[in-house]
Every structure is written in structure tokens, then in C-alpha cells.
Amino acid sequence: TVTTTTPTLANRPVNVYDAVLGECEDLLKASVEAQRLGRLKMASAYQLLLHTRLVGLGKRFDRANVVLPVHRGRSNEGDDEDDEDEDD
């Protein structure tokens, strides 16, 4: 499957993508807070972690597109003639 789930303490499955996006949101908030307090090195470190997580998420999406082609439920063999007749 495209998404995998992991069990949580409440025994509810969590989508891995949602978990990563939640972590990204936390990193962004931490970066904003650090920047507001003038802790620019700390803010930069949070932004670097955020960037790494987002790039990793993008690569995961790219791999998911390559691995799982669209399946329409019927074979493509001999369907070319049928597809042309459907418009008539």
C-alpha cells in the first residue's frame, strides 16, 4: 500500500505521512519561536531538520508514484478497439 500505519499508545493507527507532517509543523513552530527569541542558530537548526523531513517526504511520494501504477480493473490487451467504439 502507499501508506503504512503504525500503532500508537491509544492503539489507533496513524498514517506515516500525517506523522511526518505533524513533526514538520512542530519543527516550524519551534523555528519561529526560536527566531522570535533571537536564537538564530537554534532556529536555523530547526529549519534544517524541517527541510530534511520535507525532502524525505517528497522522495517517498515520488517512490510511491513509481511503485504503484494506476490499475483500472481491466486488462489493456485488445481494449484499443473497444475504446474507439465507446465514443461513437
Side-chain angles (χ1 to χ4, degrees):
T1 62
V2 173
T3 59
T4 42
T5 57
T6 55
T8 62
L9 294 176
N11 208 15
R12 293 184 336 194
V14 173
N15 184 308
V16 172
Y17 300 119
D18 289 337
V20 172
L21 287 173
E23 183 182 351
C24 288
E25 183 179 12
D26 292 343
L27 287 168
L28 186 58
K29 287 178 182 178
S31 174
V32 168
E33 180 69 12
Q35 206 167 4
R36 188 180 66 77
L37 295 172
R39 299 177 179 160
L40 300 183
K41 285 186 180 182
M42 176 102 31
S44 179
Y46 286 131
Q47 290 170 2
L48 185 58
L49 284 171
L50 174 63
H51 177 264
T52 302
R53 298 298 188 276
L54 291 173
V55 168
L57 192 62
K59 287 181 179 180
R60 203 175 246 229
F61 281 135
D62 288 344
R63 281 193 309 266
N65 250 350
V66 172
V67 172
L68 298 175
V70 175
H71 178 67
R72 304 217 176 196
R74 65 179 194 176
S75 71
N76 291 333
E77 296 176 8
D79 287 343
D80 292 339
E81 295 172 357
D82 294 337
D83 289 342
E84 292 174 8
D85 293 338
E86 288 178 4
D87 293 336
D88 293 332

